[in-house]
C-alpha cells in the first residue's frame, strides 16, 4: 500500500503517516538539489523526509529534474537556499521571511522549514539500495 501524508484527516494522523513511511520498503522522493558528482542536498522542516534517505526504508528512489542539478556541493546548497526553501514555504502558506520575500535570510521564525540539512556522500549502510533518477525536465523546486 502507498503511504501518503497528504491523505491524513488530522495533523496527528499526518504525523503518524510520516512516521509510518520510515518503515516502508521503498521511499520515493525528490531532492532539493544534486551536485554533478551525485551528492543529494536536502533541507527539511520536520526531518522525516531526509531521515528516510538514510535510516528507515530498505530502498530509496530520488527522482530529480534537471533544474535541480548543481555544478558542485556549494552551488547545490546555494540553490536550495535561493529557490527550494522559499518556494516550499510559499507552497505551505507560511508566514516566514522567505515566503514573503522569496529570499532566504537564515531566519529563526517559528514556522521555519529549514531545520535539518543533509548531504549524502555515498549510499548509507542501512539502505539496501539508493537510486537517483535524473529526468530531463524541470520538476518541482
Amino acid at each position: 500500500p502507498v503511504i501518503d501524508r497528504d491523505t491524513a484527516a488530522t495533523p496527528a494522523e499526518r504525523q503518524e503517516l510520516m512516521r509510518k513511511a520510515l518503515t516502508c520498503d521503498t521511499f520515493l522522493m525528490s531532492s532539493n538539489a544534486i551536485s554533478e558528482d551525485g551528492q543529494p542536498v536536502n533541507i527539511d522542516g520536520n526531518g522525516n523526509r531526509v531521515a528516510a534517505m538514510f535510516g528507515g526504508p530498505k530502498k530509496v528512489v530520488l527522482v530529480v529534474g534537471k533544474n535541480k542539478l548543481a555544478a558542485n556541493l556549494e552551488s547545490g546548497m546555494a540553490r536550495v537556499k535561493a529557490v527550494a526553501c522559499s518556494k516550499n514555504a510559499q507552497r505551505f502558506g507560511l508566514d516566514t521571511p522567505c515566503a514573503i520575500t522569496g529570499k532566504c535570510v537564515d531566519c529563526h521564525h517559528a514556522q521555519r522549514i529549514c531545520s535539518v540539512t543533509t548531504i549524502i556522500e555515498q549510499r548509507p549502510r542501512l539502505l539496501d539500495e539508493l537510486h537517483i533518477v535524473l529526468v530531463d525536465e524541470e520538476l518541482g523546486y
Side-chain angles (χ1 to χ4, degrees):
V2 173
I3 300 168
D4 182 354
R5 69 182 184 186
D6 292 334
T7 62
T10 66
E13 184 182 354
R14 181 180 175 89
Q15 191 173 43
E16 185 57 33
L17 287 173
M18 288 190 285
R19 285 190 175 111
K20 188 175 182 181
L22 293 173
T23 60
C24 67
D25 289 332
T26 302
F27 193 85
L28 178 65
M29 62 176 285
S30 189
S31 197
N32 296 127
I34 186 164
S35 65
E36 287 181 357
D37 64 352
Q39 294 181 22
V41 179
N42 289 281
I43 295 181
D44 199 55
N46 296 312
N48 62 297
R49 182 177 66 95
V50 295
M53 292 180 69
F54 56 82
K58 295 175 186 173
K59 182 192 312 186
V60 173
V61 179
L62 301 176
V63 180
V64 182
K66 67 182 181 181
N67 54 313
K68 297 179 180 184
L69 291 176
N72 53 42
L73 191 56
E74 182 179 348
S75 62
M77 283 296 298
R79 185 212 177 274
V80 173
K81 290 282 190 173
V83 178
C85 294
S86 60
K87 294 282 189 192
N88 276 312
Q90 291 167 350
R91 177 172 64 101
F92 290 130
L94 303 179
D95 191 32
T96 59
C98 69
I100 295 166
T101 67
K103 296 181 181 163
C104 176
V105 295
D106 197 23
C107 72
H108 294 281
H109 193 279
Q111 293 181 324
R112 179 181 167 143
I113 60 170
C114 304
S115 300
V116 181
T117 302
T118 60
I119 299 164
I120 303 287
E121 297 184 31
Q122 68 180 29
R123 180 185 57 81
R125 289 185 290 274
L126 288 178
L127 291 181
D128 291 343
E129 300 176 38
L130 173 61
H131 299 277
I132 300 172
V133 179
L134 297 175
V135 179
D136 191 20
E137 292 180 37
E138 292 195 6
L139 301 173
Y141 27 80

